[in-house]
Amino acid sequence: MATHAETGGAGTNAGTGTGLGAGGSAGPGPGPGVLHPEAPACAPAPGAALGGPVSHAVSRVARLHRAAAGRLLKDLGLYPGQEFLMMHLWANGAVRQSELIKAVGLDPSTVTKMLQRLEHAGHVRRRPDPADRRAVLIEATEASCDLHGEVRTAWGLLEEQTLAGLTGPERTELARLLAKVEGSLCQEAAMASCPEPDGDRGPART
């Protein structure tokens, strides 16, 4: 970053080592390697991300997409991520919590907290697994049927907000490319298999 003297500024206290002295001559500037007091320690984030412009774009889009989802889901009494739990339960029926954790790709403690909130709201319930009485199954309740339709509507609105500037062919191509990116990341993470999108979820997710 240029100092004030280098940009032609005047009136700066000469004792700071920048600006002009009383006689109008330039005072001594900062020594080699000395940062201007207002200079950031690191380059701005966009500059630091020059090595990965696509990754930087994906992270920005993902953040904005999650925020948009949060605004829509808030009206339904849900937090982002809880809709994926419900989608899996609606599509697959009663499952063990371990299967649910694997399906949504979240850590166990996060899923446990989500399920506690959903259970408190009356959207899910637990019951013994008839195949193993020591195990517990998680399932959507009949009371969650109305929520199912509301989530579908909210997800449709989110889709339109997200893809509003794209044509039909562009939307199809974006979904194809995102699926390829997801597959590459799954392989990099050494996952046994990539999660298949649920029927309610749509062709791609961020």
Side-chain angles (χ1 to χ4, degrees):
M1 177 181 291
T3 65
H4 194 60
E6 291 169 337
T7 58
T12 305
N13 188 332
T16 63
T18 60
L20 300 179
S25 60
V34 178
L35 290 174
H36 186 279
E38 296 179 357
C42 299
L50 287 177
V54 174
S55 294
H56 191 232
V58 169
S59 67
R60 295 198 314 270
V61 170
R63 184 175 64 251
L64 291 169
H65 186 269
R66 181 177 176 86
R71 290 191 294 271
L72 291 170
L73 294 171
K74 183 178 180 181
D75 294 335
L76 308 182
L78 297 177
Y79 294 93
Q82 289 181 322
E83 80 276 25
F84 289 121
L85 290 178
M86 295 306 304
M87 286 177 181
H88 188 81
L89 293 174
W90 286 322
N92 298 279
V95 298
R96 292 185 180 181
Q97 185 166 328
S98 58
E99 179 183 333
L100 200 54
I101 291 170
K102 182 179 179 181
V104 298
L106 298 174
D107 64 89
S109 61
T110 299
V111 173
T112 296
K113 291 178 182 178
M114 286 183 170
L115 288 175
Q116 288 173 344
R117 286 173 171 170
L118 290 170
E119 187 174 17
H120 181 73
H123 298 316
V124 303
R125 62 170 168 249
R126 305 168 191 265
R127 62 178 175 84
D129 186 346
D132 183 353
R133 303 299 293 183
R134 297 170 298 178
V136 174
L137 295 176
I138 311 293
E139 63 183 356
T141 64
E142 292 80 4
S144 73
C145 292
D146 289 341
L147 181 66
H148 179 279
E150 293 172 341
V151 167
R152 284 184 65 94
T153 298
W155 208 240
L157 290 173
L158 179 62
E159 185 87 347
E160 288 307 311
Q161 290 178 12
T162 303
L163 306 178
L166 302 182
T167 64
E170 287 174 335
R171 295 182 181 198
T172 300
E173 178 65 2
L174 177 60
R176 185 186 71 82
L177 293 175
L178 287 175
K180 291 186 68 173
V181 171
E182 183 180 23
S184 297
L185 292 175
C186 285
Q187 292 179 7
E188 182 66 24
M191 294 176 64
S193 62
C194 292
E196 292 293 334
D198 289 342
D200 285 345
R201 188 178 301 179
R205 58 189 175 96
T206 58

